[in-house]
Amino acid sequence: PTPTPEPGPGDDDESGSDGDHASADRKGVALNPADGAARALKDSGASWYHNWASSSGGVARPKGVEYVPTIWGRASVTDAELRKAKQAGKRLLTFNEPDSPTQADMSPEQALDLWPRLEKTGLRLGAPAVATDADKPGGWLDRFMKGAEKRGLRVDFIPVHWYGSDFGPAATDHLAGYLQRIHDRYKKPVWLTEYALIDFTKGTPRYPTQRQQSAFIKSSTKMLESLDFVKRYAWFALSTRTSPTGLYDGADAKAGGKIYRKVR
């Protein structure tokens, strides 16, 4: 997804060390502004959300729900965007899928060169959220993290994206294994900022049935709530306007949305 920035401002669980207690309010959603989004957000029971932009895009924030801004790519590293992000939240997501030519499309070195400007916001900083291979030695994230250590730059937590092409019962174990390998490698808190079942292996995306999606939501959220190092997770996406995997049609919960709503 690309950002949909619009003006509009907007809260603590992450001190950045691996010894932190897991947040009591992990469940979130990824959303784009759409009809019914504010009502759906409130109904979902999510404690936080993000929208790939530095400000909330006009979505009314329900009481007690945290908005987490994003600096999406190179062009977003401006005084104006950084000021909006600082006004909007206490934590910052950065550089959306920089390893993808259709997303932020940046080298680790480009991200590292810009990082001191992000540090100056004083916000808790999430590493760039790569599209794939966050667990791989020599991958984009690995090169970034090694560069950050060498340059003495601060990275407080690791946001990751995951999309499963196996729509069966094994999907939850696949996700758990991926998250565990990432944590074992970097020893930092992990945020799963986009996840769903979508098969991208054949060019045209393939989506699960409502039954498959509902079963996965039920099993995956139970697993995520059991992992102390996973501080937050966000389903992709809140609305079917953003993706067929959306939890809501407007403000009306689909089958998966009703299950996600019950997660505590």
Side-chain angles (χ1 to χ4, degrees):
T2 53
T4 52
E6 292 180 24
D11 265 5
D12 189 57
D13 72 49
E14 199 64 68
S15 71
S17 72
D18 188 49
D20 293 345
H21 294 296
S23 167
D25 299 309
R26 304 178 187 183
K27 183 179 74 172
V29 288
L31 66 85
N32 287 126
D35 290 345
R39 284 180 292 156
L41 178 60
K42 183 177 181 179
D43 185 72
S44 73
S47 64
W48 71 282
Y49 75 99
H50 72 92
N51 66 342
W52 305 280
S54 61
S55 56
S56 61
V59 175
R61 190 162 58 94
K63 185 177 180 180
V65 176
E66 179 184 358
Y67 170 68
V68 180
T70 301
I71 293 297
W72 191 87
R74 281 170 288 181
S76 303
V77 186
T78 66
D79 290 344
E81 289 295 302
L82 293 170
R83 186 164 53 248
K84 281 193 215 173
K86 190 171 181 178
Q87 290 170 348
K90 294 183 178 179
R91 301 166 185 78
L92 187 64
L93 300 175
T94 67
F95 305 146
N96 188 74
E97 299 189 351
D99 54 328
S100 171
T102 63
Q103 296 295 312
D105 191 19
M106 302 167 67
S107 69
E109 292 71 29
Q110 287 171 323
L112 290 164
D113 287 346
L114 291 168
W115 205 255
R117 292 191 66 186
L118 306 186
E119 284 194 1
K120 286 179 181 177
T121 65
L123 301 176
R124 307 304 297 174
L125 295 179
V130 295
T132 60
D133 296 336
D135 59 335
K136 296 292 175 61
W140 197 104
L141 180 62
D142 193 51
R143 288 157 53 206
F144 174 86
M145 293 299 289
K146 286 177 178 174
E149 183 177 8
K150 186 175 181 180
R151 298 190 192 197
L153 301 175
R154 174 171 57 85
V155 179
D156 298 304
F157 57 96
I158 309 290
V160 298
H161 297 173
W162 183 91
Y163 292 96
S165 58
D166 181 342
F167 298 169
T172 293
D173 288 340
H174 293 165
L175 172 57
Y178 186 56
L179 297 173
Q180 187 68 58
R181 291 190 298 274
I182 293 165
H183 182 254
D184 289 347
R185 184 158 196 81
Y186 300 112
K187 300 295 191 291
K188 287 185 180 289
V190 173
W191 287 28
L192 180 60
T193 53
E194 289 183 26
Y195 92 105
L197 294 180
I198 307 177
D199 182 3
F200 291 109
T201 63
K202 302 282 196 303
T204 301
R206 180 175 66 93
Y207 298 95
T209 64
Q210 280 295 305
R211 179 172 291 186
Q212 288 170 327
Q213 177 160 299
S214 294
F216 176 66
I217 289 173
K218 190 170 185 178
S219 62
S220 65
T221 51
K222 183 177 180 181
M223 176 272 293
L224 291 166
E225 290 288 337
S226 75
L227 297 179
D228 285 348
F229 63 84
V230 176
K231 303 301 182 180
R232 304 217 177 166
Y233 58 88
W235 182 261
F236 180 82
L238 180 67
S239 173
T240 54
R241 291 275 191 94
T242 300
S243 169
T245 57
L247 300 172
Y248 286 76
D249 282 327
D252 297 325
K254 295 172 69 68
K258 292 175 182 177
I259 292 171
Y260 203 68
R261 176 203 291 154
K262 294 177 182 177
V263 178
R264 292 290 183 268

